[in-house]
Every structure is written in C-alpha cells, then in structure tokens.
Amino acid sequence: NSKLRHVEKDVLIPQIMRDRAKELCSDKVQAFTKCCQETGVLMVVKCRQENTALKDCLVGYYSDPSFYEECKAEYLKQREEYRATGIKKKRQKFTSNV
C-alpha cells in the first residue's frame, strides 16, 4: 500500500529530504558553521557568501523531483519494514560521494 497520508507527504518525507540534503551538502554546512564560529556577532555580515552557497545547495535538492521520489521510496521502505516487524529502525547516515 503506497498511499500517503497528509502528515507523511508534508512532514515525514520532507524531514528525510532535509536530513539527506544536509549530508549531501556537508562541506557547505561545515564552511558556514566554521565561519559563524570564527566571526561571532558579525556572522550576519561576514558569512553571507557561505550562507548563500549553503542555501543554494539545499534548495537545489529540495526542488529536485527525483530527489523527492528517492526520499519517498526510502520512507515507504521504512514504513513497510515497521509494519512488518513492529520495530522502528534508526535512520542510517548517508555519506557524500563528492
């Protein structure tokens, strides 16, 4: 049964998308984090370039229909395993191939 409820479409699948996108953009996340830690209060001004690069990377994944379908398939697989076993499985960390 691959019908999705409202909460699955609007909350659970986007959550998987966010997690995977952060992992795939990890180099940009680290650069932005490092910049913010080094500049402190002035991070709003000094880290614009890193913030823009991070945002562009994440939005690129969020707006990609094939990425959504991958995450949807992953969610459906997790849901199927849960329904079969009754045991919730921890999400595995993805490593970037970049």
Side-chain angles (χ1 to χ4, degrees), residues 42-79:
L42 297 174
M43 72 179 142
V44 175
V45 177
K46 301 249 181 184
C47 299
R48 281 189 184 151
Q49 185 177 1
E50 290 84 352
N51 186 29
T52 302
L54 175 58
K55 227 186 308 183
D56 291 344
C57 183
L58 293 174
V59 169
Y61 283 110
Y62 297 158
S63 59
D64 182 6
S66 64
F67 186 68
Y68 176 83
E69 291 301 321
E70 285 176 34
C71 294
K72 178 180 167 185
E74 178 185 335
Y75 172 76
L76 289 173
K77 182 180 172 198
Q78 289 174 358
R79 185 178 77 173

Side-chain angles (χ1 to χ4, degrees), residues 16-17 19-26 67 70-71 74-75 77-78 90-97:
I16 292 172
M17 289 177 72
D19 293 344
R20 286 198 56 204
K22 281 182 189 174
E23 291 166 2
L24 294 169
C25 297
S26 65
F67 186 68
E70 285 176 34
C71 294
E74 178 185 335
Y75 172 76
K77 182 180 172 198
Q78 289 174 358
K90 293 272 185 188
R91 237 178 61 73
Q92 67 181 8
K93 292 282 183 183
F94 291 93
T95 55
S96 179
N97 294 336

Side-chain angles (χ1 to χ4, degrees), residues 8-38:
E8 293 171 320
K9 279 191 255 183
D10 296 341
V11 177
L12 299 175
I13 294 172
Q15 182 178 5
I16 292 172
M17 289 177 72
R18 275 190 304 277
D19 293 344
R20 286 198 56 204
K22 281 182 189 174
E23 291 166 2
L24 294 169
C25 297
S26 65
D27 56 332
K28 291 167 182 57
V29 171
Q30 290 173 351
F32 180 67
T33 303
K34 183 179 176 187
C35 180
C36 289
Q37 290 171 342
E38 290 173 354

